[in-house]
């Protein structure tokens, strides 16, 4: 399993709606509201064979109200 973080910028006034939709889909490990350039920080765990690019475009960006995403890849360094 590998951890993948995605920062999500939502359309104005839709952050709670987007967070709720992602939670209802049961694809995220953790969902946080954030301040700054992005509205949400979402942690996903992917099986090693799952392509992160396909996952983000097909499973995350499909939710209505998402305006932009920034994917943060993690690596086992320790």
């Amino acid at each position: 399993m590998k951890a993948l973080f995605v920062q999500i910028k939502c359309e104005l006034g839709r952050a709670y709606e987007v967070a709720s939709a992602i939670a209802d889909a049961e694809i995220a490990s953790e969902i946080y509201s954030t301040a700054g350039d992005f509205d949400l920080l979402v942690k996903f765990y992917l099986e090693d064979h799952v392509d992160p690019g396909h996952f983000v475009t097909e499973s995350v960006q499909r939710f209505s109200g998402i305006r932009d995403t920034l994917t943060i890849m993690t690596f086992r360094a320790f």
Side-chain angles (χ1 to χ4, degrees), residues 26-76:
E26 298 183 355
I27 59 171
S29 171
E30 300 170 47
I31 304 170
Y32 297 96
S33 179
T34 59
D37 292 334
F38 289 84
D39 302 300
L40 302 172
L41 175 65
V42 184
K43 183 178 184 180
F44 301 95
Y45 282 105
L46 305 182
E47 298 287 339
D48 290 332
H49 68 277
V50 175
D51 179 85
H54 283 220
F55 176 79
V56 171
T57 57
E58 296 168 5
S59 299
V60 179
Q61 293 176 345
R62 67 181 175 93
F63 294 100
S64 176
I66 292 180
R67 193 169 153 202
D68 194 10
T69 60
L70 175 69
T71 302
I72 302 167
M73 303 289 298
T74 62
F75 305 94
R76 253 197 210 289

Side-chain angles (χ1 to χ4, degrees), residues 10-25 31 40 63-66:
C10 301
E11 294 174 6
L12 291 177
R14 299 196 59 193
Y16 287 101
E17 176 186 335
V18 171
S20 181
I22 293 171
D24 289 346
I31 304 170
L40 302 172
F63 294 100
S64 176
I66 292 180

